[in-house]
Amino acid sequence: MDPVDQVERLSKRSRDLFGKDYGFALDYNEPISQRIKFSSKLRNEYLAARESLPPHIEAKLPPPSRFSRRDDTTRNEINPILNELIPPPPPPGTLADASTSTAVAIRHGHGPASATDGTPQVAPAQMQLTVQQQRSQFGDGSSRALAERRTNVTQVRPEWHAQWKLMRVISGHLGWVRSVCVEPDNQWFATGAGDRTIKIWDLASGTLKLTLTGHIMTVRGLAVSPRHPYLFSCGEDKMVKCWDLEQNKVIRQYHGHLSGVYSLDLHPNLDVLVTAGRDAVARVWDMRTRMAVHVLSGHKATISSVKCQEADPQVVTGSMDTQVRLWDLAAGKTQTVLTHHKKSVRALTMHPTEFTFASGSADNIKQWKFPEGAFMQNFEPAHNAIVNTLSTNSDGVMFSGGDNGSMAFFDWKSGHKFQETEATVVPGSLDAENGIFASTFDHTGLRLITCEADKSIKVWREDPEATPETHPGIEWKPKIGRQRY
């Protein structure tokens, strides 16, 4: 159907439904309607420009009645109701009344009285001032404009980072390696796996130092206390254990979870332990008395990741119900709920120095700002995988590991992905075992430890020979409208 015919048909239908003169024939092709249509278009397009032209150019133009003026007789012939609803426009060159002016802002000191008191008349196009001009006139920084021009969007250019490459492969576990943590002195690190053991490795050489047994199912979370000689572990056997590293044995167990415990973290200042898992609650434990201080309930599905920090909100959880929750630890209640993700949130990471954090999901990796949980940006190009783990170092590098073995490195400030690679499968393993479950940087930020489905632990480092010329990384392309808030 012709667009003109379609518009006429729809306008007829609207008139039949809502018009007061129902039943009267309306000719859309009559000369008066055509003249009104074209004069209205010309007036909207060129009236302001015409009234601001110099006199010697305006003298060469045809009279304004051809495109901007129509007498009251023509107006009354069209529809007498129109005069009651819409007052006729003022003649060109005269100052409109304040009630009919369409200017966004009127020059200070000029009003309706200035049209008759002998002062020079101001055209509507000259009455419209920018916000900056009004502020400079008024002097107090105030503005009567309805809208302010938005400042130009400035995008953060990503900082160059060296490419990361494989440094060492450590084998020893007999099952999927599901958890890892580095001790505060940066001398050794611990891993937990599907073979129900916790192994402690020397960070410098990668040699095995100790094996702890006690869990009866997969070990899913590990944490080392910076103030006590304690190692905490949790697993799918519903157990949370406290290991004394001076005696290498379990000294406390924390009972209360109704299903597998998938994540744990220690508060940096308080003697408090936070665990979360399949029962959709996060439990806050007193480290010494083994009492449950709080039960943080609100999630509707498995909580896959939990993080603690010094300042409020002191606890952050990510769940399979696609939500990220920020908790008030003192009250034991939810402070903020973030519902931006569309898929399960499996990973969380906090920046070591900035008051920000990131959450990883299959749809996106998002960056947030504390304490209100304001959205900052998406990390792009997106990591097209189920993100199992996120880690960040103090140099502004964020690592994300996927369920299919894919690895991505991002610049924290700009959110740009500067490197993407695949984990190297241990010879003899199946291709289906190419997955990354856990990761962490050491305390210097120079080593990255990944735990994988081929039962191996891999240590990565930056290429010392990389330069911006030899390894530029993935090209950064700024996008229109992209801004880091």
Side-chain angles (χ1 to χ4, degrees):
M1 180 184 293
D2 185 38
V4 177
D5 296 338
Q6 188 174 7
V7 170
E8 289 184 359
R9 184 172 60 86
L10 294 175
S11 62
K12 289 178 182 179
R13 188 172 187 276
S14 300
R15 180 174 174 273
D16 291 340
L17 289 175
F18 305 108
K20 293 184 178 180
D21 50 354
Y22 175 78
F24 292 91
L26 183 63
D27 186 7
Y28 288 89
N29 296 318
E30 60 180 348
I32 297 178
S33 298
Q34 294 296 327
R35 188 166 65 250
I36 292 173
K37 180 173 69 174
F38 288 115
S39 64
S40 175
K41 288 184 178 179
L42 291 173
R43 178 183 175 82
N44 292 337
E45 292 289 338
Y46 303 111
L47 179 61
R50 180 186 179 91
E51 294 182 352
S52 60
L53 290 177
H56 65 280
I57 297 180
E58 188 172 0
K60 301 178 182 180
L61 297 178
S65 60
R66 292 191 57 184
F67 67 94
S68 65
R69 299 182 62 185
R70 59 176 182 267
D71 52 11
D72 294 338
T73 58
T74 304
R75 189 179 177 91
N76 293 328
E77 290 176 2
I78 301 169
N79 192 349
I81 305 176
L82 190 63
N83 288 327
E84 301 177 4
L85 299 178
I86 305 174
T94 61
L95 184 64
D97 184 78
S99 61
T100 60
S101 173
T102 58
V104 176
I106 301 177
R107 187 188 299 271
H108 186 64
H110 292 78
S114 61
T116 59
D117 58 1
T119 56
Q121 297 176 355
V122 184
Q126 297 173 347
M127 293 191 299
Q128 300 184 13
L129 299 178
T130 63
V131 175
Q132 290 79 6
Q133 289 172 338
Q134 293 179 62
R135 287 179 175 172
S136 62
Q137 279 188 348
F138 296 155
D140 58 353
S142 62
S143 171
R144 290 188 293 176
L146 298 180
E148 184 175 354
R149 184 188 296 274
R150 184 178 179 182
T151 57
N152 294 331
V153 176
T154 58
Q155 300 186 24
V156 179
R157 188 172 187 86
E159 179 185 352
W160 179 82
H161 298 281
Q163 302 287 296
W164 289 73
K165 65 177 185 180
L166 184 62
M167 173 185 171
R168 180 180 292 120
V169 179
I170 302 173
S171 298
H173 279 293
L174 302 178
W176 289 354
V177 189
R178 301 303 299 258
S179 55
V180 62
C181 69
V182 180
E183 65 101 12
D185 292 333
N186 216 42
Q187 299 295 320
W188 51 267
F189 67 96
T191 57
D195 57 4
R196 303 166 294 178
T197 63
I198 301 170
K199 292 183 181 292
I200 296 178
W201 312 83
D202 184 72
L203 184 60
S205 62
T207 57
L208 180 64
K209 300 180 70 173
L210 183 66
T211 300
L212 302 174
T213 59
H215 282 281
I216 59 175
M217 293 183 72
T218 303
V219 181
R220 296 294 295 267
L222 292 172
V224 181
S225 174
R227 298 185 305 277
H228 313 287
Y230 295 155
L231 168 69
F232 294 88
S233 65
C234 64
E236 296 178 0
D237 52 5
K238 313 178 191 177
M239 296 302 300
V240 180
K241 297 178 181 289
C242 175
W243 304 78
D244 188 339
L245 295 177
E246 294 177 344
Q247 306 176 30
N248 296 333
K249 66 178 183 180
V250 178
I251 58 172
R252 298 186 188 95
Q253 298 192 45
Y254 304 85
H255 299 273
H257 277 284
L258 305 179
S259 190
V261 188
Y262 287 174
S263 179
L264 67 82
D265 199 16
L266 296 175
H267 195 282
N269 290 337
L270 307 176
D271 288 342
V272 161
L273 169 70
V274 183
T275 59
R278 277 191 63 192
D279 53 3
V281 297
R283 298 179 184 269
V284 183
W285 308 91
D286 187 322
M287 190 183 295
R288 296 187 177 278
T289 64
R290 299 177 294 176
M291 297 295 293
V293 180
H294 288 302
V295 178
L296 307 178
S297 59
H299 283 292
K300 298 179 177 61
T302 300
I303 300 176
S304 53
S305 183
V306 60
K307 294 291 182 183
C308 296
Q309 63 177 355
E310 298 178 3
D312 287 328
Q314 299 182 47
V315 180
V316 183
T317 56
S319 171
M320 297 287 187
D321 61 4
T322 73
Q323 294 180 356
V324 178
R325 286 179 179 257
L326 313 182
W327 301 87
D328 184 348
L329 183 60
K333 296 180 180 179
T334 301
Q335 180 174 318
T336 308
V337 182
L338 308 177
T339 59
H340 296 58
H341 283 289
K342 298 181 178 62
K343 301 289 185 179
S344 301
V345 181
R346 294 196 179 194
L348 295 173
T349 181
M350 292 185 179
H351 195 276
T353 56
E354 289 186 10
F355 203 36
T356 55
F357 75 104
S359 58
S361 176
D363 60 347
N364 245 320
I365 302 175
K366 298 180 182 294
Q367 189 181 78
W368 313 87
K369 181 175 67 174
F370 287 124
E372 69 274 12
F375 173 74
M376 296 180 68
Q377 64 181 350
N378 287 326
F379 288 87
E380 295 179 350
H383 187 178
N384 295 321
I386 298 175
V387 178
N388 283 332
T389 177
L390 294 174
S391 299
T392 311
N393 68 3
S394 56
D395 294 332
V397 176
M398 188 188 76
F399 165 78
S400 67
D403 207 47
N404 57 357
S406 59
M407 305 171 61
F409 294 87
F410 297 87
D411 176 60
W412 181 267
K413 289 187 177 180
S414 65
H416 171 65
K417 179 169 64 176
F418 65 87
Q419 182 183 356
E420 187 172 22
T421 183
E422 292 278 338
T424 305
V425 182
V426 173
S429 301
L430 301 175
D431 291 338
E433 293 179 331
N434 193 11
I436 301 174
F437 292 123
S439 67
T440 185
F441 285 96
D442 69 350
H443 293 290
T444 64
L446 302 177
R447 299 288 185 272
L448 172 67
I449 304 169
T450 59
C451 304
E452 306 194 7
D454 58 2
K455 308 172 187 176
S456 70
I457 304 155
K458 296 185 175 66
V459 183
W460 306 74
R461 69 171 180 177
E462 290 182 333
D463 188 354
E465 301 177 356
T467 63
E469 292 75 20
T470 59
H471 297 79
I474 300 176
E475 182 182 1
W476 175 69
K477 296 179 180 179
K479 292 188 176 182
I480 298 176
R482 179 175 172 83
Q483 182 181 15
R484 188 175 190 260
Y485 294 95

